[in-house]
Amino acid sequence: MPDAKCKNDMVLNLGCGNRHLDGAINLDRIPEVNPDVVHDLDKFPWPFEENRFNEVYANDVIEHCSDVVATMEEIHRVSRDGAVVRVTTPHFSSANSFIDPTHRYHFSYFSFHYFTGEHDFDFYSDKRFRRRAAQIIFYPTFTNKLIWRIANRYPQAYEKRWTWMFPAWFLNFELEVVK
């Protein structure tokens, strides 16, 4: 498959919108935001060879994709073993998760456990990632400083009991590709 003509082989910025990363290949489906590569992430395969990237950013994009499992598998395909994948997405309790009519999915602290082998239902994909970090982020207020500490120490209890009393803002994940 021919490679997209780009400036850097190491970093991929998926769904860049107006947030271009210097030195990265900035990809978006909207030509008006002037990405380096115009491509719809729901069209597989993406225009990159296997094992190309050392780092992938998916900031506020995964919730827009039509098939999260296929998207994660494609990220795995284009990434090298040990590549770092950074995902930011609204937490399911955030109003931001539901305000945008283009959001198809809503994510939990545990959503990516399906790809790390940390969930009983990890059989949806054989592509694996290692969780390096996961954080529940809250809108910065005095009360939320305390809630942030509790929620990140006890994420399961937070999401089962407290999430609707103290809604989170978004989630940050840092994953490592395992091949």
Side-chain angles (χ1 to χ4, degrees):
M1 167 187 340
D3 244 337
K5 185 178 178 187
C6 295
K7 56 190 170 190
N8 186 320
D9 284 336
M10 304 307 233
V11 181
L12 178 60
N13 183 20
L14 297 172
C16 65
N18 291 318
R19 294 179 290 188
H20 291 216
L21 292 178
D22 288 337
I25 296 171
N26 295 286
L27 180 147
D28 205 290
R29 68 180 188 88
I30 310 286
E32 291 78 17
V33 298
N34 298 313
D36 302 310
V37 176
V38 176
H39 184 78
D40 183 344
L41 293 175
D42 290 333
K43 306 291 184 213
F44 303 104
W46 298 344
F48 303 110
E49 63 193 23
E50 291 182 14
N51 302 311
R52 178 166 180 181
F53 298 103
N54 284 333
E55 198 168 1
V56 176
Y57 288 86
N59 294 323
D60 296 316
V61 70
I62 195 104
E63 64 274 13
H64 298 272
C65 295
S66 65
D67 186 338
V68 173
V69 173
T71 300
M72 292 302 293
E73 288 179 341
E74 192 66 3
I75 289 171
H76 192 276
R77 184 188 72 78
V78 302
S79 298
R80 296 175 180 161
D81 184 38
V84 175
V85 178
R86 292 183 171 85
V87 177
T88 300
T89 187
H91 186 267
F92 71 83
S93 67
S94 172
N96 292 344
S97 191
F98 292 92
I99 288 172
D100 188 335
T102 65
H103 287 184
R104 296 175 173 167
Y105 295 96
H106 308 280
F107 291 86
S108 158
Y109 179 90
F110 301 99
S111 293
F112 290 95
H113 281 37
Y114 289 79
F115 303 100
T116 62
E118 296 174 88
H119 194 282
D120 291 342
F121 297 144
D122 65 357
F123 49 77
Y124 291 118
S125 175
D126 62 352
K127 306 302 183 221
R128 287 289 168 253
F129 297 82
R130 182 175 298 112
R131 180 171 46 99
R132 292 173 48 154
Q135 271 194 326
I136 304 170
I137 306 297
F138 292 82
Y139 191 79
T141 67
F142 180 74
T143 303
N144 282 346
K145 285 183 181 182
L146 174 63
I147 300 303
W148 177 87
R149 290 177 184 265
I150 294 169
N152 282 288
R153 179 167 279 181
Y154 307 104
Q156 188 169 16
Y158 165 74
E159 288 190 344
K160 283 185 175 181
R161 306 274 190 267
W162 308 321
T163 194
W164 299 116
M165 290 182 287
F166 304 102
W169 197 7
F170 59 93
L171 298 159
N172 277 337
F173 298 97
E174 186 173 294
L175 307 170
E176 180 180 329
V177 174
V178 176
K179 292 194 175 188

